[in-house]
Amino acid sequence: MSLELEWMPIEDLKLPSNVIEIIKKRGIKKLNPPQTEAVKKGLLEGNRLLLTSPTGSGKTLIAEMGIISFLLKNGGKAIYVTPLRALTNEKYLTFKDWELIGFKVAMTSGDYDTDDAWLKNYDIIITTYEKLDSLWRHRPEWLNEVNYFVLDELHYLNDPERGPVVESVTIRAKRRNLLALSATISNYKQIAKWLGAEPVATNWRPVPLIEGVIYPERKKKEYNVIFKDNTTKKVHGDDAIIAYTLDSLSKNGQVLVFRNSRKMAESTALKIANYMNFVSLDENALSEILKQLDDIEEGGSDEKELLKSLISKGVAYHHAGLSKALRDLIEEGFRQRKIKVIVATPTLAAGVNLPARTVIIGDIYRFNKKIAGYYDEIPIMEYKQMSGRAGRPGFDQIGESIVVVRDKEDVDRVFKKYVLSDVEPIESKLGSERAFYTFLLGILSAEGNLSEKQLENFAYESLLAKQLVDVYFDRAIRWLLEHSFIKEEGNTFALTNFGKRVADLYINPFTADIIRKGLEGHKASCELAYLHLLAFTPDGPLVSVGRNEEEELIELLEDLDCELLIEEPYEEDEYSLYINALKVALIMKDWMDEVDEDTILSKYNIGSGDLRNMVETMDWLTYSAYHLSRELKLNEHADKLRILNLRVRDGIKEELLELVQISGVGRKRARLLYNNGIKELGDVVMNPDKVKNLLGQKLGEKVVQEAARLLNRFH
DNA sequence: GGCGCTGCAATATAGACAGCATGTC
DNA sequence: CTATATTGCAGCGCC
């Protein structure tokens, strides 16, 4: 894993001068060692490479050079795949530079989508693994022109949930040409072999990292830090995290603290904020952030109040309970060095680039949801992702990352396990029924009819051991046939119409089966029953149910005035899913009935980000259920589901459906208009002054124009 | 009886991808 | 087999 530290001057690149100009414009004069190494290994000649190196070591530029040189030489299109929407967005902005020399760049993902047909006009497409998988299933013509794939953050192969999709995308990408990028992994040679690529492994980082462990000294209020290079340091205070945070702040460094639960992230942030009077802050800049925070509509008022009091002291917390808008604001404030400390859950470990001089990893344990009372030590990969955030290029000479342990006895073990070890090897995650069945369905959808042998060969191209493939393959075929997702046509397997629909909707086959059974066995039912059915599927949103809450839900179950579409399960785990689904259904019902957001958040004890995610998932599932019911000719259900889908999406009663078509008009504004007698598009156009009065001059103007445009389109 | 305190017991616990219609990235 | 901060609640003394 060593390599000479060679820096190649940009001018030495065998690339056209206009390409070199663009790189130079970014202020880059020399390629850093990993970049140099990649070029020496034939990156520009289109050689297949697997590049493993720490985050922030300049992999994006390697991908850019790979793509551009490939496209210049071979024409066609290239696709850059990432595991996160936020990364897709980030890379899109970077790749935009290449439009200057004529390459058209687009991005497409679940939340920011370019129509499939339009993508044919672009040369470089940035997307997520799931979206690419989905695109392949839809088989657009232009996808055949794509001959170069960049697979970013390929270590997501190891993610139990997402890994199978990464793996199936990789199988098809490696039939063409690819460049794979990954965080450092231990079995990179094996993975490179699988990819048919040459490994390029480096540990080089733009800012050196020093890792350490902090533990309490016998003497109270004193903490000792031991670093990898055997240097030590002492800090004082009531709490290791706070003591070290303040120490770093006193030297003008920013701090990123990781905690293992949301509540701890919040309370740690609050504690740190109490000491911030000793830190010099840019008050004006902070009040600017507070002003922006006030303008964010997406967010609960409790969250916003708490964040405001923290941010005014230069501190913030960050976890997925917060809406995207709030998280973006916090990240940006930190990037601009106005916010000095962020206390986060693992949201910030992976994903967008947000380095800090000091990283404090507060917990190496994490509660295990599956086995009650059981605790896991976090994976080494996750530790490395967190510690790797230490050291910000341009601001810090060195990054420091420390792990908090309980006492001196733990120091050695933690040092050995986390600081000095290789990360876990990457293994196939296709070895589960859910993953494997979905995998086969996806292949048939993308490839069309295949013989058993052909289909099997696809599976053998995976990372899964052959014996396991054999086990799962037969079971999968049998199940898919029995449940009529696939059928036999001559010597081949083909998708049924139902199976094709399921593949296109991108829902899990088990989800589809549950929906089908639920709908076929019942007459049209109440909204709550549909929501409950969908929330109960494996694709349904997760939500935590408290103990008291569970009792209330069970009670409510007894005097429900509508019949649910799922039979009450006897098995304990299934039953708790059943109750969880009921909670999701109730939340969605309140949302659709226009219950105020703050009320929903406190009533169900969730954050604005949770609500958003839930709505997004249920929007997708109600849409899917609508289409499945059409496919199955269950028209009564279909009628109900169509309305349900529209109401879930916007969180509105049926009467507002027309008004929310206007962009810029959501549940709140539509209700305001409606209650003032503006009930349909025509009313908006006929009463422009009233609309402007209600919504404000500028917005009102836009809304009236938009309504007129919509009306015209209908006639 | 009501209030506040103490100390032990119970409780809770991370994250994030996907469809499609919009206009067009 | 392993954690820990927060919340809930019984029991108590005190006014």
Side-chain angles (χ1 to χ4, degrees):
Chain A
M1 292 273 286
S2 67
L3 103 154
E4 290 171 53
L5 294 185
E6 205 179 320
W7 295 72
M8 180 189 277
I10 298 293
E11 289 80 9
D12 292 3
L13 283 170
K14 290 188 207 110
L15 285 169
S17 60
N18 56 355
V19 173
I20 289 180
E21 273 316 302
I22 289 184
I23 301 176
K24 272 185 168 171
K25 243 187 231 165
R26 296 185 186 161
I28 298 170
K29 296 189 181 76
K30 286 178 175 173
L31 295 186
N32 69 26
Q35 292 161 350
T36 304
E37 183 70 6
V39 169
K40 284 168 80 179
K41 288 272 166 72
L43 173 74
L44 305 183
E45 285 74 45
N47 284 3
R48 286 180 176 228
L49 302 175
L50 165 63
L51 202 114
T52 66
S53 66
T55 30
S57 59
K59 287 194 283 260
T60 308
L61 182 60
I62 296 180
E64 292 177 88
M65 292 189 295
I67 287 180
I68 297 301
S69 58
F70 187 91
L71 291 182
L72 286 174
K73 214 168 294 169
N74 306 293
K77 298 180 188 302
I79 287 187
Y80 187 113
V81 204
T82 86
L84 301 170
R85 293 171 184 174
L87 283 176
T88 300
N89 201 33
E90 192 181 76
K91 301 304 171 193
Y92 171 71
L93 294 174
T94 308
F95 271 86
K96 268 294 218 185
D97 284 359
W98 300 103
E99 297 207 324
L100 282 170
I101 59 168
F103 290 107
K104 292 191 73 184
V105 184
M107 74 166 155
T108 178
S109 68
D111 65 349
Y112 203 60
D113 203 1
T114 303
D115 185 87
D116 293 6
W118 269 89
L119 288 172
K120 73 170 189 290
N121 301 318
Y122 294 87
D123 307 299
I124 301 169
I125 295 154
I126 325 279
T127 188
T128 59
Y129 283 100
E130 281 80 3
K131 183 68 186 186
L132 176 55
D133 191 23
S134 164
L135 284 171
W136 250 319
R137 295 174 182 206
H138 286 87
R139 288 195 251 170
E141 195 52 39
W142 60 263
L143 213 41
N144 294 323
E145 298 167 34
V146 181
N147 283 309
Y148 195 82
F149 293 87
V150 175
L151 308 178
D152 195 8
E153 313 270 349
L154 192 68
H155 54 272
Y156 266 76
L157 273 170
N158 236 11
D159 185 306
E161 302 292 318
R162 318 271 309 280
V165 178
V166 178
E167 195 166 338
S168 74
V169 163
T170 306
I171 291 171
R172 334 198 73 169
K174 75 194 183 83
R175 293 185 158 200
R176 319 236 182 128
N177 205 0
L178 61 80
L179 171 67
L181 313 173
S182 164
T184 307
I185 47 176
S186 53
N187 59 338
Y188 68 97
K189 285 184 183 156
Q190 184 203 342
I191 300 299
K193 198 174 161 205
W194 177 58
L195 296 171
E198 189 173 348
V200 181
T202 91
N203 282 325
W204 186 86
R205 293 173 44 94
V207 180
L209 167 66
I210 179 152
E211 293 161 85
V213 177
I214 186 168
Y215 62 94
E217 206 47 274
R218 247 178 269 281
K219 208 190 331 163
K220 280 254 162 134
K221 301 199 171 193
E222 182 173 297
Y223 298 88
N224 226 351
V225 190
I226 303 182
F227 288 104
K228 202 174 170 178
D229 61 1
N230 284 323
T231 56
T232 60
K233 186 171 177 174
K234 279 194 196 319
V235 288
H236 301 267
D238 292 328
D239 174 295
I241 295 177
I242 296 174
Y244 205 86
T245 301
L246 294 175
D247 183 73
S248 181
L249 287 170
S250 71
K251 292 163 196 158
N252 208 22
Q254 284 179 292
V255 184
L256 194 51
V257 181
F258 288 104
R259 304 290 338 236
N260 67 355
S261 77
R262 294 176 179 187
K263 201 170 270 169
M264 295 238 258
E266 290 173 26
S267 66
T268 302
L270 271 167
K271 282 186 209 155
I272 293 172
N274 284 335
Y275 293 89
M276 291 300 283
N277 299 333
F278 306 107
V279 178
S280 72
L281 297 166
D282 183 346
E283 311 271 342
N284 290 335
L286 288 173
S287 61
E288 184 58 36
I289 298 180
L290 295 183
K291 218 185 293 163
Q292 290 173 18
L293 194 146
D294 269 327
D295 291 340
I296 291 177
E297 290 182 31
E298 227 177 77
S301 39
D302 289 352
E303 296 167 338
K304 285 162 81 171
E305 277 317 303
L306 179 55
L307 275 174
K308 271 162 74 174
S309 72
L310 289 169
I311 292 174
S312 66
K313 294 179 173 164
V315 182
Y317 68 90
H318 185 292
H319 59 60
L322 293 176
S323 67
K324 187 78 177 51
L326 290 173
R327 285 192 273 168
D328 286 347
L329 183 77
I330 292 164
E331 288 168 29
E332 193 49 34
F334 192 78
R335 213 167 274 130
Q336 294 176 0
R337 300 179 77 80
K338 297 170 187 164
I339 293 175
K340 302 295 180 192
V341 183
I342 292 184
V343 188
T345 56
T347 20
L348 281 181
V352 293
N353 195 23
L354 198 78
R357 179 184 304 171
T358 304
V359 166
I360 302 175
I361 299 167
D363 319 80
I364 47 168
Y365 293 105
R366 179 148 56 239
F367 177 77
N368 185 320
K369 276 182 197 160
K370 295 194 185 84
I371 314 166
Y374 192 91
Y375 243 69
D376 293 324
E377 285 193 338
I378 57 169
I380 304 168
M381 172 64 83
E382 197 172 314
Y383 165 83
K384 297 288 183 192
Q385 296 278 334
M386 294 192 279
S387 61
R389 297 277 148 181
R392 184 166 169 184
F395 290 96
D396 304 323
Q397 295 302 312
I398 190 164
E400 50 174 13
S401 147
I402 59 165
V403 197
V404 181
V405 299
R406 229 179 357 210
D407 48 53
K408 199 167 180 176
E409 280 65 55
D410 286 341
V411 174
D412 268 4
R413 209 189 89 255
V414 169
F415 227 92
K416 237 176 245 160
K417 169 160 180 181
Y418 288 108
V419 180
L420 302 172
S421 293
D422 273 349
V423 292
E424 299 83 358
I426 283 181
E427 289 164 358
S428 175
K429 292 292 181 282
L430 275 176
S432 81
E433 296 193 344
R434 208 162 100 189
F436 203 89
Y437 297 7
T438 309
F439 171 65
L440 287 194
L441 194 75
I443 291 173
L444 282 172
S445 178
E447 298 293 322
N449 295 11
L450 291 178
S451 70
E452 180 156 359
K453 196 79 219 132
Q454 288 172 312
L455 190 56
E456 206 170 26
N457 283 339
F458 252 101
Y460 286 145
E461 282 185 50
S462 74
L463 261 178
L464 193 62
K466 186 170 180 299
Q467 306 92 291
L468 284 176
V469 170
D470 291 338
V471 171
Y472 283 105
F473 190 84
D474 290 341
R475 259 195 271 173
I477 294 292
R478 212 176 323 131
W479 191 89
L480 291 168
L481 279 169
E482 270 169 22
H483 294 78
S484 50
F485 286 87
I486 63 175
K487 60 188 174 192
E488 290 178 86
E489 264 182 28
N491 292 326
T492 64
F493 290 120
L495 290 182
T496 60
N497 288 339
F498 180 72
K500 181 61 182 157
R501 204 78 189 90
V502 170
D504 283 352
L505 290 166
Y506 211 73
I507 53 177
N508 185 280
F510 289 120
T511 294
D513 192 50
I514 291 172
I515 294 175
R516 176 170 55 189
K517 287 202 178 96
L519 296 182
E520 279 182 341
H522 296 83
K523 284 199 166 303
S525 191
C526 62
E527 290 150 348
L528 198 71
Y530 289 114
L531 294 169
H532 177 260
L533 170 69
L534 298 172
F536 183 73
T537 64
D539 283 319
L542 294 170
V543 67
S544 70
V545 177
R547 184 133 335 166
N548 285 331
E549 209 174 8
E550 186 176 347
E551 281 170 27
E552 285 170 32
L553 287 167
I554 291 172
E555 237 169 77
L556 199 142
L557 206 55
E558 277 155 20
D559 40 40
L560 222 50
D561 57 359
C562 83
E563 191 199 353
L564 296 181
L565 302 173
I566 298 279
E567 193 116 2
E568 209 173 291
Y570 293 108
E571 208 265 317
E572 199 183 316
D573 286 356
E574 289 278 297
Y575 188 75
S576 102
L577 285 176
Y578 189 81
I579 296 298
N580 280 31
L582 183 62
K583 175 167 174 178
V584 173
L586 290 168
I587 295 172
M588 286 301 100
K589 185 79 171 67
D590 278 357
W591 169 250
M592 286 177 7
D593 287 341
E594 295 177 45
V595 175
D596 167 71
E597 180 166 348
D598 276 343
T599 312
I600 297 180
L601 299 188
S602 61
K603 181 170 163 193
Y604 298 100
N605 191 24
I606 56 173
S608 56
D610 300 315
L611 179 61
R612 250 69 214 188
N613 286 336
M614 214 176 280
V615 167
E616 200 176 307
T617 302
M618 291 302 282
D619 178 9
W620 166 50
L621 289 176
T622 48
Y623 179 88
S624 299
Y626 163 63
H627 278 280
L628 289 185
S629 61
R630 292 264 305 251
E631 186 64 50
L632 297 166
K633 308 224 162 20
L634 301 167
N635 294 332
E636 267 186 68
H637 288 305
D639 292 341
K640 293 251 179 186
L641 284 164
R642 195 181 66 87
I643 306 284
L644 188 66
N645 172 236
L646 296 172
R647 289 187 53 199
V648 165
R649 192 177 62 197
D650 288 300
I652 49 167
K653 295 181 184 164
E654 200 171 341
E655 64 204 27
L656 298 187
L657 282 176
E658 186 164 334
L659 288 176
V660 294
Q661 291 180 305
I662 307 169
S663 67
V665 177
R667 64 200 302 248
K668 281 193 209 152
R669 287 173 184 151
R671 176 51 60 195
L672 182 68
L673 292 172
Y674 193 92
N675 287 351
N676 284 280
I678 313 273
K679 300 188 174 181
E680 35 191 82
L681 292 175
D683 299 336
V684 175
V685 178
M686 299 304 285
N687 303 284
D689 290 334
K690 196 163 174 185
V691 172
K692 284 178 211 165
N693 222 353
L694 287 165
L695 300 182
Q697 196 64 25
K698 216 168 134 193
L699 180 70
E701 181 82 41
K702 237 179 67 190
V703 164
V704 172
Q705 276 176 19
E706 179 72 7
R709 202 182 60 80
L710 285 167
L711 273 178
N712 272 331
R713 222 185 40 199
F714 295 141
H715 300 132

